[in-house]
PDB file of all heavy atoms in Angstrom:
ATOM      1  N   PRO A 206       9.585  34.364  15.615  1.00 82.00           N
ATOM      2  CA  PRO A 206       9.602  34.324  14.148  1.00 82.00           C
ATOM      3  C   PRO A 206      10.890  33.738  13.653  1.00 82.00           C
ATOM      4  O   PRO A 206      11.924  34.488  13.555  1.00 82.00           O
ATOM      5  CB  PRO A 206       9.436  35.793  13.710  1.00 82.00           C
ATOM      6  CG  PRO A 206       9.890  36.588  14.920  1.00 82.00           C
ATOM      7  CD  PRO A 206       9.722  35.767  16.140  1.00 82.00           C
ATOM      8  N   SER A 207      10.922  32.455  13.370  1.00 77.00           N
ATOM      9  CA  SER A 207      12.186  31.762  13.186  1.00 77.00           C
ATOM     10  C   SER A 207      12.918  32.303  12.012  1.00 77.00           C
ATOM     11  O   SER A 207      14.168  32.510  12.003  1.00 77.00           O
ATOM     12  CB  SER A 207      11.922  30.220  12.996  1.00 77.00           C
ATOM     13  OG  SER A 207      10.932  30.062  12.051  1.00 77.00           O
ATOM     14  N   LEU A 208      12.201  32.627  10.953  1.00 78.00           N
ATOM     15  CA  LEU A 208      12.922  33.092   9.747  1.00 78.00           C
ATOM     16  C   LEU A 208      13.686  34.367  10.063  1.00 78.00           C
ATOM     17  O   LEU A 208      14.795  34.584   9.645  1.00 78.00           O
ATOM     18  CB  LEU A 208      11.853  33.315   8.612  1.00 78.00           C
ATOM     19  CG  LEU A 208      12.385  33.221   7.222  1.00 78.00           C
ATOM     20  CD1 LEU A 208      13.043  31.894   6.958  1.00 78.00           C
ATOM     21  CD2 LEU A 208      11.267  33.503   6.209  1.00 78.00           C
ATOM     22  N   LEU A 209      12.994  35.231  10.841  1.00 83.00           N
ATOM     23  CA  LEU A 209      13.607  36.537  11.157  1.00 83.00           C
ATOM     24  C   LEU A 209      14.875  36.324  11.949  1.00 83.00           C
ATOM     25  O   LEU A 209      15.906  36.967  11.714  1.00 83.00           O
ATOM     26  CB  LEU A 209      12.557  37.323  11.961  1.00 83.00           C
ATOM     27  CG  LEU A 209      12.756  38.855  11.876  1.00 83.00           C
ATOM     28  CD1 LEU A 209      12.403  39.374  10.520  1.00 83.00           C
ATOM     29  CD2 LEU A 209      11.845  39.554  12.924  1.00 83.00           C
ATOM     30  N   VAL A 210      14.809  35.456  12.913  1.00 83.00           N
ATOM     31  CA  VAL A 210      15.964  35.182  13.721  1.00 83.00           C
ATOM     32  C   VAL A 210      17.095  34.625  12.906  1.00 83.00           C
ATOM     33  O   VAL A 210      18.275  35.061  13.031  1.00 83.00           O
ATOM     34  CB  VAL A 210      15.612  34.241  14.876  1.00 83.00           C
ATOM     35  CG1 VAL A 210      16.893  33.864  15.674  1.00 83.00           C
ATOM     36  CG2 VAL A 210      14.574  34.783  15.819  1.00 83.00           C
ATOM     37  N   VAL A 211      16.798  33.715  12.002  1.00 79.00           N
ATOM     38  CA  VAL A 211      17.888  33.164  11.161  1.00 79.00           C
ATOM     39  C   VAL A 211      18.441  34.271  10.267  1.00 79.00           C
ATOM     40  O   VAL A 211      19.666  34.342  10.083  1.00 79.00           O
ATOM     41  CB  VAL A 211      17.310  31.997  10.294  1.00 79.00           C
ATOM     42  CG1 VAL A 211      18.385  31.415   9.413  1.00 79.00           C
ATOM     43  CG2 VAL A 211      16.802  30.883  11.203  1.00 79.00           C
ATOM     44  N   LEU A 212      17.576  35.116   9.766  1.00 80.00           N
ATOM     45  CA  LEU A 212      18.052  36.252   8.968  1.00 80.00           C
ATOM     46  C   LEU A 212      18.990  37.148   9.743  1.00 80.00           C
ATOM     47  O   LEU A 212      20.067  37.504   9.226  1.00 80.00           O
ATOM     48  CB  LEU A 212      16.876  37.048   8.434  1.00 80.00           C
ATOM     49  CG  LEU A 212      15.956  36.390   7.373  1.00 80.00           C
ATOM     50  CD1 LEU A 212      14.889  37.319   6.936  1.00 80.00           C
ATOM     51  CD2 LEU A 212      16.817  35.976   6.149  1.00 80.00           C
ATOM     52  N   LEU A 213      18.589  37.418  10.947  1.00 84.00           N
ATOM     53  CA  LEU A 213      19.446  38.243  11.806  1.00 84.00           C
ATOM     54  C   LEU A 213      20.810  37.591  11.989  1.00 84.00           C
ATOM     55  O   LEU A 213      21.852  38.188  11.855  1.00 84.00           O
ATOM     56  CB  LEU A 213      18.814  38.415  13.188  1.00 84.00           C
ATOM     57  CG  LEU A 213      17.828  39.592  13.292  1.00 84.00           C
ATOM     58  CD1 LEU A 213      17.076  39.590  14.632  1.00 84.00           C
ATOM     59  CD2 LEU A 213      18.629  40.894  13.196  1.00 84.00           C
ATOM     60  N   LEU A 214      20.820  36.285  12.342  1.00 82.00           N
ATOM     61  CA  LEU A 214      22.033  35.580  12.554  1.00 82.00           C
ATOM     62  C   LEU A 214      22.909  35.581  11.326  1.00 82.00           C
ATOM     63  O   LEU A 214      24.092  35.811  11.366  1.00 82.00           O
ATOM     64  CB  LEU A 214      21.746  34.106  12.998  1.00 82.00           C
ATOM     65  CG  LEU A 214      21.246  33.923  14.370  1.00 82.00           C
ATOM     66  CD1 LEU A 214      20.900  32.459  14.613  1.00 82.00           C
ATOM     67  CD2 LEU A 214      22.267  34.389  15.401  1.00 82.00           C
ATOM     68  N   ALA A 215      22.207  35.380  10.207  1.00 78.00           N
ATOM     69  CA  ALA A 215      22.949  35.351   8.955  1.00 78.00           C
ATOM     70  C   ALA A 215      23.587  36.667   8.626  1.00 78.00           C
ATOM     71  O   ALA A 215      24.748  36.782   8.207  1.00 78.00           O
ATOM     72  CB  ALA A 215      21.998  34.946   7.782  1.00 78.00           C
ATOM     73  N   SER A 216      22.893  37.793   8.923  1.00 80.00           N
ATOM     74  CA  SER A 216      23.464  39.083   8.598  1.00 80.00           C
ATOM     75  C   SER A 216      24.581  39.410   9.638  1.00 80.00           C
ATOM     76  O   SER A 216      25.473  40.172   9.315  1.00 80.00           O
ATOM     77  CB  SER A 216      22.362  40.167   8.546  1.00 80.00           C
ATOM     78  OG  SER A 216      21.606  40.085   9.733  1.00 80.00           O
ATOM     79  N   LEU A 217      24.422  38.877  10.874  1.00 83.00           N
ATOM     80  CA  LEU A 217      25.501  39.065  11.824  1.00 83.00           C
ATOM     81  C   LEU A 217      26.762  38.360  11.435  1.00 83.00           C
ATOM     82  O   LEU A 217      27.873  38.895  11.514  1.00 83.00           O
ATOM     83  CB  LEU A 217      25.071  38.588  13.190  1.00 83.00           C
ATOM     84  CG  LEU A 217      24.228  39.584  14.054  1.00 83.00           C
ATOM     85  CD1 LEU A 217      23.805  38.968  15.347  1.00 83.00           C
ATOM     86  CD2 LEU A 217      25.096  40.833  14.286  1.00 83.00           C
ATOM     87  N   PHE A 218      26.661  37.066  11.038  1.00 78.00           N
ATOM     88  CA  PHE A 218      27.787  36.218  10.852  1.00 78.00           C
ATOM     89  C   PHE A 218      28.169  36.061   9.373  1.00 78.00           C
ATOM     90  O   PHE A 218      28.971  35.221   9.053  1.00 78.00           O
ATOM     91  CB  PHE A 218      27.647  34.883  11.498  1.00 78.00           C
ATOM     92  CG  PHE A 218      27.439  34.950  12.954  1.00 78.00           C
ATOM     93  CD1 PHE A 218      26.198  34.818  13.539  1.00 78.00           C
ATOM     94  CD2 PHE A 218      28.497  35.207  13.835  1.00 78.00           C
ATOM     95  CE1 PHE A 218      25.994  34.883  14.928  1.00 78.00           C
ATOM     96  CE2 PHE A 218      28.322  35.330  15.150  1.00 78.00           C
ATOM     97  CZ  PHE A 218      27.126  35.184  15.742  1.00 78.00           C
ATOM     98  N   GLY A 219      27.536  36.814   8.530  1.00 73.00           N
ATOM     99  CA  GLY A 219      27.839  36.678   7.110  1.00 73.00           C
ATOM    100  C   GLY A 219      27.166  35.381   6.620  1.00 73.00           C
ATOM    101  O   GLY A 219      26.110  34.966   7.132  1.00 73.00           O
ATOM    102  N   GLN A 220      27.790  34.748   5.621  1.00 74.00           N
ATOM    103  CA  GLN A 220      27.143  33.560   5.041  1.00 74.00           C
ATOM    104  C   GLN A 220      27.182  32.420   6.004  1.00 74.00           C
ATOM    105  O   GLN A 220      28.159  32.176   6.674  1.00 74.00           O
ATOM    106  CB  GLN A 220      27.844  33.234   3.725  1.00 74.00           C
ATOM    107  CG  GLN A 220      27.814  34.302   2.669  1.00 74.00           C
ATOM    108  CD  GLN A 220      26.417  34.595   2.198  1.00 74.00           C
ATOM    109  OE1 GLN A 220      25.467  33.947   2.639  1.00 74.00           O
ATOM    110  NE2 GLN A 220      26.297  35.624   1.312  1.00 74.00           N
ATOM    111  N   LEU A 221      26.049  31.613   6.056  1.00 76.00           N
ATOM    112  CA  LEU A 221      26.016  30.506   6.909  1.00 76.00           C
ATOM    113  C   LEU A 221      26.331  29.159   6.154  1.00 76.00           C
ATOM    114  O   LEU A 221      25.780  29.010   5.030  1.00 76.00           O
ATOM    115  CB  LEU A 221      24.588  30.397   7.541  1.00 76.00           C
ATOM    116  CG  LEU A 221      24.209  31.572   8.463  1.00 76.00           C
ATOM    117  CD1 LEU A 221      22.820  31.403   8.905  1.00 76.00           C
ATOM    118  CD2 LEU A 221      25.162  31.584   9.631  1.00 76.00           C
ATOM    119  N   ASN A 222      27.022  28.341   6.804  1.00 81.00           N
ATOM    120  CA  ASN A 222      27.236  27.027   6.241  1.00 81.00           C
ATOM    121  C   ASN A 222      25.972  26.190   6.223  1.00 81.00           C
ATOM    122  O   ASN A 222      25.092  26.414   7.112  1.00 81.00           O
ATOM    123  CB  ASN A 222      28.265  26.299   7.165  1.00 81.00           C
ATOM    124  CG  ASN A 222      28.593  24.908   6.733  1.00 81.00           C
ATOM    125  OD1 ASN A 222      27.799  24.028   6.859  1.00 81.00           O
ATOM    126  ND2 ASN A 222      29.813  24.685   6.220  1.00 81.00           N
ATOM    127  N   ILE A 223      25.783  25.304   5.269  1.00 82.00           N
ATOM    128  CA  ILE A 223      24.542  24.596   5.125  1.00 82.00           C
ATOM    129  C   ILE A 223      24.221  23.826   6.384  1.00 82.00           C
ATOM    130  O   ILE A 223      23.051  23.710   6.825  1.00 82.00           O
ATOM    131  CB  ILE A 223      24.575  23.640   3.914  1.00 82.00           C
ATOM    132  CG1 ILE A 223      23.185  23.025   3.640  1.00 82.00           C
ATOM    133  CG2 ILE A 223      25.566  22.503   4.055  1.00 82.00           C
ATOM    134  CD1 ILE A 223      22.285  23.860   2.865  1.00 82.00           C
TER     135      ILE A 223
END
Side-chain angles (χ1 to χ4, degrees):
Chain A
S207 50
L208 205 56
L209 205 68
V210 176
V211 177
L212 290 181
L213 273 172
L214 287 175
S216 51
L217 275 177
F218 298 105
Q220 301 295 358
L221 294 176
N222 180 289
I223 188 86

